[in-house]
Every structure is written in C-alpha cells, then in structure tokens.
Amino acid sequence: MKRLVVLTVLGCLLLSSQSVKAASGDKELLIGLIPEQNIFKQIERYKPLAIYLSKRTGIGVRLTILSRYGDIIDRFVQRGLDGAFFGDLTGALAIEKLDIEPLVRPENLDGSTSSYGYIIVRKDSGIRSVADMKGKVVAFVDRATVTGYLFPLAYFRSRGVKSLEGFFSEYYFTGSHDSSVYAVLDGRADIGCVKNTIYNNLVSRDPTIREELRIIAKSPLMPESTLCLRRDLPEEVKKSVKDVLLAMDRDREGRKILARLQAKRFVEASVEDFRPVYEMLETLGEDIETYQYRVR
Amino acid sequence: MILSFLAGPLHAATKDGIVAGVVFSGDLPFYREIHEELVRRLFEKGYDKKVRFIIQRPNPDALAWSNAIRKMIAYDASLIIVYGSGAARAALYESSSVPIIYAAVYEPERSGIKGSNIRGVGYRIPVSSIIRYLRKTGDIKKIGVLYSDAEPSTKTQYDDVKAACESLSIDVVKIPIKRPSEIGRRLRLMSYDSLLLTSSALINKYFPDYILVFRKKPVPLAAIITGLEEYSVITLSTDPRKQGDILARNLIQFINNGDISGIENTELLKNSLTFNMRLAIDLGLDIPVELLTESDRVIK
C-alpha cells in the first residue's frame, strides 16, 4: 500500500511536468497510460511519442499515467480521457464498458504484434512445477491483466490449484510487470508473472537477470498495448492520429521514437485482436461484464 | 555474559515442561525480533507454560559461544536454541547428543550447519540483487565484503558475492574480521568503493563503533540483516518474524514429540528491502528508480 502511495504521489509530480502544449488552437488529446512498467520508465518511453504526435498532427497530446491498471477503466470518463494505450484485459474491458475504438498497436522489434506472459521463479528456488509452489509467495501484477494475473490463475487451476489462499502462503499484486520480476529476483516473492516484452527489456539491459530466473510457463499470445480513442471524437482527429502513427516508421525522427518504444512500427488494430482475452476469461468461467478487475 | 530468565508468560516452568537454552549472539536486534516472535507464537498457541528459557547473550566470538553452550549443557537443558551460524557451529562442536534448533542461519547446509542432532530454519538472500541495486547507485568497481571466519555462513555470503561479481567486472575485496578492533583498522587500510556487511553477529554488533572511520570514504554500504539501516543505503534481509514463526513451530514439535528427528530443515526466502534514501542523497549517490519503487521501506 505504501508503495502505491509513493507511486501515486510521484506520478502526480511527473504528470504536472509532462504536458505537451497544444501545437495549434485549443485542440488537445489526453491519453492515458497504464503502469506496465514503473511510472518513470513509462513516461520516459511515451513522452517523445506525445511530442511527435503533437508536432505532426497539430493537436496537443498530453499524457497521464494511472497508478493501477483498473483505474484506466474507472477514471477514463472521470478524468476526461480521449484515449489510452490499453493492455490486454484493460483493452477488452474498455471495449465493453467505454465507447472506444482500437486504432493502432506496436509491432515489436521481432516482428510480432502480440505478447505473452511468463510465470517465473528463481533458478535456485528448486521450483520446477506447480507442485513445488505449495506454501510459496506469488507476486501477480494486477487483476486487470491477462499476462500478469488471468493466465497464471488459469495455469495454476489447470494443475489442480483450487484456491490461491489454500495453496499459496501469500499472494499480492505488485502493480507493474517489472516489479514482479524484481520481487522474485530479491526473494521477496517466490513466483512472479511478467509480460515477455517487459522481461526481454529488463534482460537486454541486465543479462544477469536471465541467469537467475527460470521461466516455468508461457501464456497464449495476447494483444500488445493498443491505442484506443473515444469513438465520439471527430473523425478527422482519429484519422490524423492514426495516419501519423502508421507512417512514423517512414521518417528518421519517427524511427528514433519507435526504437525507444522498442517497436518497429505501428500497425492497425481491431476489436478482433482481443479475442484471446475473451477466450482466457471463458477458460476461467468469467464474464467480462461482471469480472472484478479492481485490486482491493 | 549474562545468565537470565525470561520474564513474562514464559517464566514459570511446569512439571511436564522443558528447559530450553537460548544463545543470542551479540544480542543483536535482529535476533531479538526473532525471539520475540517465538515467544508470541508460543503464547498464542498455548505452549508458553510448557517451556522455560535460559537465555545467554555471549559476546560474538567462538570462545564465548562455547562457554555459553557448555553452561546450557551443565544446566541439563532439554534442547539448545541458537541464533546465527557462529553459535550454531559452537553448539555442534560442544555436543553431539543435546538437540539443537537454530534460526537465522544463511544457507545452513552449504555453511556446514548440519548433523543428526541439529535442525532449524535458515534463509537465503540473493546477494546478486544487492549488487544489482548497488550498481545503480554509482560506478561500482570494487566491493569490500566484511565477514567472520568464526561464523561459517558469512564466509558463504562472501563466496556468493564473489560468484555474482565474476561476470560483472567487479573486484571483490575480502575483509575477514576476527575481533572488533580489526573492523576500524581494515576499513582504514583497505581500498573499496562500496561495502557489504555479511550477517556476522560480530560485525553487525561492532560496526557502529567504527562508523566515523567508515564515513571518511563516501561509499555506499549494504547489509544482509536488519538493524543497521541507519548506516546502510540498501538492506535486503530475511523477515525475522517469519524466522521466529517457523522456530516456534519447530519448538512446539519438539515439545510434543520429545525429539528433533521429525523437524524438517527450512530455508526461507522471504525477504524485505529497505532503501535509506536520505543517506544516499547525503553521499551524493544516484537515486535509482527501482529502489524507490521496489523497497518495502524507504527512509526519507
């Protein structure tokens, strides 16, 4: 809880300095980000994109980062967001609960436009299967993620874990994928869950991480972070944003920004991309309408 | 050396109770916290009247530990509880028949804390994590590791630091300590750009006496057990309360069965991270985002 308060306060401080002024007129878009990584890294990654978009579209783009995944659904209307980079489950939830339309999603450096989740443990933990996890501590990411919660939940259930409380000694939500990795590395949790793109990013900066961790399981492919905009925004605004993003790999500045996002380019996104999320929910017997995505 | 009886609910022995000798090495706060949790758990589970503790707080050196253990044996203690690897090793040397239960021993098997009359709860700390965080505070090239040969687990920690640093082009400076006065002398003479305190009772007890010597070099300090967070920028420690909880479980099992053969050795990986940001700022270190976001406790 203390960690969340620190993040929220720091987030507010960051946001006050991250506004991108409207390039012309009063037009401005407020785009939300989920705390996929810690908020400093998220802002660092996306800020150049916001500046680029502002410059190329003539529409001011301002970023706001939410302290929790579920907040992006709850606060979309409350904060007057025009759009957001949604994750796998938050994207599906947004499609159901908010009147938004998927616009674009990044193509990763390896050419994929999807990501998957890993269940990780320390190599020296002696954990090789779910049976070895009894009585251990699990660090999930957030209830509103497939890679960071629903997939591991489905995986544990498929291997006979009837209730998390009865099987594990403790479980908690770290709030971001990289936090889940650090929790396992430090021995603050025995088992962690992380999206492959975040894991790869951490490993590329510190290869010793790969030496210390073992991947126990891998999820089906899930949609990458998808930019969705409010359906009722003017068509020319949506088109302009989409056109700029789809073409940004064709100019030098755009490619530089894409590299910081660890993306090759943006590709068109659609509601259909979220089908694997619905399938995962179905596996768990959950209905997206009633799914409790908030971390209490 | 003080021979004392614990006051409170554990004071009175019952006819069918046991006498447990307890050796605190250096009376460290870390060990006290484990013992407090042990007492609390026994009280909660209704075992407080079934055990009487004789507590010894010897100075953390091999001779004092041996003397303390001999006194316990002379007192005909039903079993001996030891905190830390130095006291555990002394207990193993002094008796092969009196049951021994240990707590707070880093990687007991690897540190040679094993035998037919000893069981307990140990812990693991991924020292690679400490090094990872230390490197984010500045350009670390030479890490000094203070350890004590009389406490075998601390040598294991040194070995682990050495192994973790091998692929990182970081030199590891071995700083063995036999007596308190060596801490100041070695801190003055050795060259290092960061320092790691192992879990040695000797070093953790006496390090604060030499803090002014250490502070002459503006280098970060990291620690493996709680108690010195005031001086340490990074502390990655096992949870003493969890150690106490498992120790209580083991002791209850002994009370019920009269022997330790059924007690399983446990190696706990339940750590907490503390970042002393105030100290990091004073030392002019970089403030890594990861330490701010990951730490269970940030000292501001």
Side-chain angles (χ1 to χ4, degrees), chain A residues 2-3 6-7 38 40-41 122 124-125 137 170 179 182 185-188 190 205-206 208-209 212, chain B residues 124 126 128-129 132-133 136 167-168 236 269-273 289-290 292-296 300:
Chain A
K2 196 190 285 176
R3 192 175 299 161
V6 171
L7 284 175
N38 78 55
F40 298 92
K41 285 187 195 157
R122 283 192 62 84
D124 58 10
S125 67
V137 178
E170 186 188 336
S179 272
Y182 283 114
L185 284 169
D186 297 353
R188 289 178 284 124
D190 299 284
R205 282 187 282 131
D206 182 354
T208 62
I209 291 175
E212 291 179 43
Chain B
R124 276 188 294 126
S128 51
S129 271
R132 185 173 293 117
Y133 289 130
K136 288 179 194 287
S167 60
L168 301 171
L236 184 62
L269 187 73
K270 178 79 180 81
N271 304 326
S272 68
L273 180 66
V289 172
E290 289 81 0
L292 284 174
T293 55
E294 301 308 318
S295 295
D296 300 282
K300 292 173 193 155

Side-chain angles (χ1 to χ4, degrees), chain A residues 65-85:
Chain A
I65 190 159
L66 285 304
S67 56
R68 281 182 173 173
Y69 275 67
D71 286 356
I72 209 147
I73 302 299
D74 297 340
R75 305 213 173 144
F76 193 89
V77 178
Q78 198 186 330
R79 283 205 189 172
L81 296 183
D82 299 302
F85 278 93

Side-chain angles (χ1 to χ4, degrees), chain A residues 3 19 23 39 41 48 51 81 84 86 97 102 109-110 147 149 173 183 188 191 193 200-201 209 215 258 290 296:
Chain A
R3 192 175 299 161
S19 301
I39 54 173
K41 285 187 195 157
I51 294 169
L81 296 183
F86 288 98
K97 294 176 190 289
L109 295 175
D110 63 2
T147 50
Y149 180 63
F173 296 93
R188 289 178 284 124
I191 303 135
C193 316
N200 293 342
N201 188 11
I209 291 175
I215 296 166
L258 283 166
T290 54
R296 288 179 192 92

Side-chain angles (χ1 to χ4, degrees), chain B residues 30-233:
Chain B
F30 177 67
Y31 297 147
R32 275 206 301 271
E33 211 173 330
I34 296 172
H35 193 73
E36 279 165 17
E37 186 65 15
L38 165 70
V39 172
R40 205 168 64 81
R41 290 285 175 187
L42 291 176
F43 185 72
E44 265 175 19
K45 292 178 192 294
Y47 279 80
D48 52 307
K49 301 282 191 290
K50 295 184 177 176
V51 60
R52 182 160 63 98
F53 289 116
I54 307 167
I55 298 178
Q56 293 244 318
R57 296 179 174 86
N59 200 45
D61 67 70
L63 188 63
W65 283 319
S66 288
N67 284 336
I69 302 293
R70 282 176 201 158
K71 282 186 187 171
M72 303 294 187
I73 294 168
Y75 198 83
D76 207 17
S78 315
L79 93 158
I80 298 169
I81 297 172
V82 286
Y83 297 121
S85 66
R89 186 164 79 169
L92 272 172
Y93 278 161
E94 294 300 330
S95 172
S96 57
S97 56
V98 178
I100 305 159
I101 297 183
Y102 63 79
V105 174
Y106 178 90
E107 303 223 13
E109 280 274 322
R110 282 179 61 213
S111 305
I113 305 302
K114 53 189 173 184
S116 58
N117 65 326
I118 191 163
R119 298 285 187 280
V121 51
Y123 65 92
R124 276 188 294 126
I125 298 286
V127 292
S128 51
S129 271
I130 298 179
I131 292 156
R132 185 173 293 117
Y133 289 130
L134 266 179
R135 290 175 72 208
K136 288 179 194 287
T137 65
D139 190 19
I140 303 296
K141 293 272 178 242
K142 205 184 230 189
I143 179 166
V145 181
L146 285 167
Y147 74 97
S148 159
D149 275 324
E151 298 170 76
S153 284
T154 68
K155 174 66 170 47
T156 308
Q157 287 160 25
Y158 164 78
D159 292 340
D160 289 347
V161 174
K162 182 109 176 112
C165 289
E166 249 165 31
S167 60
L168 301 171
S169 307
I170 298 176
D171 291 334
V172 181
V173 183
K174 195 176 187 175
I175 314 180
I177 301 294
K178 283 200 176 75
R179 52 191 69 83
S181 60
E182 287 180 359
I183 298 174
R185 196 164 63 240
R186 289 188 186 263
L187 288 177
R188 253 191 306 269
L189 297 176
M190 307 294 270
S191 162
Y192 50 83
D193 58 20
S194 55
L195 196 68
L196 186 131
L197 296 192
T198 58
S199 63
S200 158
L202 171 76
I203 292 161
N204 281 269
K205 182 178 170 72
Y206 290 105
F207 185 83
D209 294 353
Y210 300 95
I211 193 67
L212 292 178
V213 178
F214 173 65
R215 280 282 164 264
K216 283 186 178 160
K217 298 174 189 170
V219 302
L221 174 73
I224 282 180
I225 59 171
T226 54
L228 294 180
E229 290 87 340
E230 191 185 337
Y231 312 114
S232 169
V233 172

Side-chain angles (χ1 to χ4, degrees), chain A residues 13-57:
Chain A
L13 289 171
L14 267 173
L15 292 176
S16 61
S17 63
Q18 297 303 324
S19 301
V20 177
K21 299 280 180 221
S24 70
D26 295 332
K27 284 188 285 184
E28 188 179 83
L29 286 178
L30 183 59
I31 303 292
L33 299 174
I34 47 174
E36 192 176 53
Q37 301 182 77
N38 78 55
I39 54 173
F40 298 92
K41 285 187 195 157
Q42 275 296 76
I43 286 291
E44 198 183 298
R45 278 178 82 199
Y46 281 92
K47 188 182 168 189
L49 180 70
I51 294 169
Y52 179 86
L53 260 179
S54 297
K55 220 157 59 179
R56 297 294 166 120
T57 58

